Amino acid sequence: MIAHCLKRREALLALAVLALIALVQTRFSGFVRPDNLAAIFNDSAILIILALGQMTVILTRCIDLSVAANLALTGMIVAMLNAAAPDVPVAALILVAITLGALLGAVNGLLVWRLDLPPIVVTLGTMTIYRGAIFLLSGGAWINAHQMSDAFKALPRAVLFGLPVLSWIALAVIAAFVILIGRTALGRAFYAVGGNEHAAVYTGISAGRTRFLAFTLNGALAGLCGYLWVSRYAVAYTEVAQGFELDVIAACVIGGISIAGGIGTVGGAILGALFLGVIKNALPVAGVSPFWQMAISGAAILLAVAFNARSERRQGRIILKSAEHTAPAGAQA
């Protein structure tokens, strides 16, 4: 039943994305050109990667508000390393970014696991710490394009088989998550811990360890996106991706990832990110004010939350009815 509802939700969201594209196409005939649609996907690539990482955290009934600050801090560090030592291979810098991001994510996971602190409080605190660390490391200075090596800036923009490398990285992450979530014990543990933590513990799953791994994985992807962001835009500064964590969470919610945990799919997270990506690309083309863009995005989030809550209540009633039908007559009495 839950799987059926999720497929229905993804189908409706896909139709909404297509309807939005068709609506813009009526006013701007070139909007559905393959190169323009590929550009929209490329613009949404970082959001897709981060939404998939955030999904694993939300599935375990947690949330990570520090993801954009993690991105900004790792991005600043690798940009500073590149400016100071331009001969260091880009692959090594990417490895540094992923490792550092994973460590920052692991800090969140340890605080939630070992100290049993509320995830929203922990990540709100680390978000502030990470933002402050950027300023302390950089002294408030920017790292600009002329300070970065050509190789550092070129990788995400390089075109391979008709698509930028940034898009290929997003596709690789999507493929990895399809396997992780659908085919591995860890993927099943994410759902189990978020769906029913006590039952998961009885089956031998460590809820704390699973949440720790979710935060660490989310942090590693944020670190990867830290490099991708600063190299693609060729700038690193204190306010990089300021507020972007809200877009990441919004993509998950719109994609049907339940804030209550245990419900969501890779496809839903991708469609949620693409929905926001199309809005951010289509509305400026249509001449819509940035303030209306914010209002429309906010309305979409509220509608998605309401839809999620209604679906979850309906599923709860179905489960209760099933239990009543299967219970012994004496138990019902």
Side-chain angles (χ1 to χ4, degrees):
M1 178 60 66
I2 293 176
H4 173 74
C5 291
L6 287 174
K7 289 180 180 178
R8 177 171 170 268
R9 169 61 176 270
E10 291 174 11
L12 289 173
L13 187 53
L15 288 174
V17 173
L18 292 174
L20 182 59
I21 292 174
L23 180 62
V24 179
Q25 173 66 15
T26 60
R27 296 191 59 181
F28 303 95
S29 59
F31 193 76
V32 296
R33 291 199 319 265
D35 59 335
N36 189 61
L37 294 178
I40 291 175
F41 179 82
N42 194 59
D43 289 341
S44 306
I46 290 177
L47 180 57
I48 290 171
I49 295 170
L50 292 177
L52 289 172
Q54 186 76 238
M55 180 188 74
T56 63
V57 175
I58 295 177
L59 283 177
T60 65
R61 203 175 296 180
C62 295
I63 199 164
D64 189 352
L65 298 178
S66 70
V67 61
N70 184 330
L71 179 159
L73 178 55
T74 53
M76 175 60 79
I77 289 174
V78 294
M80 292 176 67
L81 287 173
N82 178 251
D87 294 331
V88 174
V90 173
L93 293 176
I94 294 174
L95 181 60
V96 168
I98 293 173
T99 303
L100 179 59
L103 289 174
L104 295 177
V107 170
N108 291 330
L110 283 172
L111 292 173
V112 171
W113 178 16
R114 294 301 187 185
L115 300 184
D116 198 25
L117 298 176
I120 192 169
V121 175
V122 167
T123 57
L124 184 62
T126 53
M127 176 183 72
T128 307
I129 293 170
Y130 298 162
R131 287 286 176 189
I134 301 170
F135 186 85
L136 292 174
L137 287 171
S138 65
W142 290 32
I143 305 296
N144 294 306
H146 68 275
Q147 298 170 273
M148 300 176 182
S149 69
D150 291 337
F152 184 86
K153 295 179 289 186
L155 180 61
R157 307 175 190 180
V159 176
L160 183 64
F161 301 115
L163 283 177
V165 170
L166 175 58
S167 292
W168 285 113
I169 292 173
L171 290 171
V173 172
I174 290 170
F177 263 76
V178 168
I179 297 171
L180 171 68
I181 296 298
R183 301 294 182 86
T184 68
L186 179 59
R188 293 189 290 272
F190 290 149
Y191 285 99
V193 170
N196 190 325
E197 181 177 340
H198 298 294
V201 171
Y202 282 126
T203 62
I205 297 173
S206 169
R209 181 175 177 274
T210 300
R211 290 187 172 120
F212 168 78
L213 293 174
F215 275 108
T216 303
L217 175 60
N218 189 38
L221 292 175
L224 170 63
C225 290
Y227 161 74
L228 295 174
W229 187 296
V230 299
S231 58
R232 185 189 184 206
Y233 297 108
V235 65
Y237 55 99
T238 307
E239 290 81 21
V240 159
Q242 188 84 48
F244 198 64
E245 63 276 352
L246 301 181
D247 286 347
V248 175
I249 295 169
C252 291
V253 172
I254 292 172
I257 315 300
S258 174
I259 295 296
I263 298 174
T265 65
V266 171
I270 296 167
L271 286 170
L274 287 176
F275 181 82
L276 290 179
V278 171
I279 286 180
K280 290 180 182 296
N281 279 271
L283 296 185
V285 171
V288 177
S289 162
F291 299 103
W292 275 110
Q293 294 174 37
M294 294 172 63
I296 292 170
S297 297
I301 295 168
L302 290 176
L303 288 173
V305 171
F307 188 92
N308 290 350
R310 185 176 178 182
S311 298
E312 289 163 20
R313 283 198 299 270
R314 188 184 301 117
Q315 292 160 14
R317 288 197 293 271
I318 292 171
I319 292 170
L320 288 173
K321 288 179 181 177
S322 300
E324 289 174 0
H325 290 315
T326 57
Q332 292 183 19

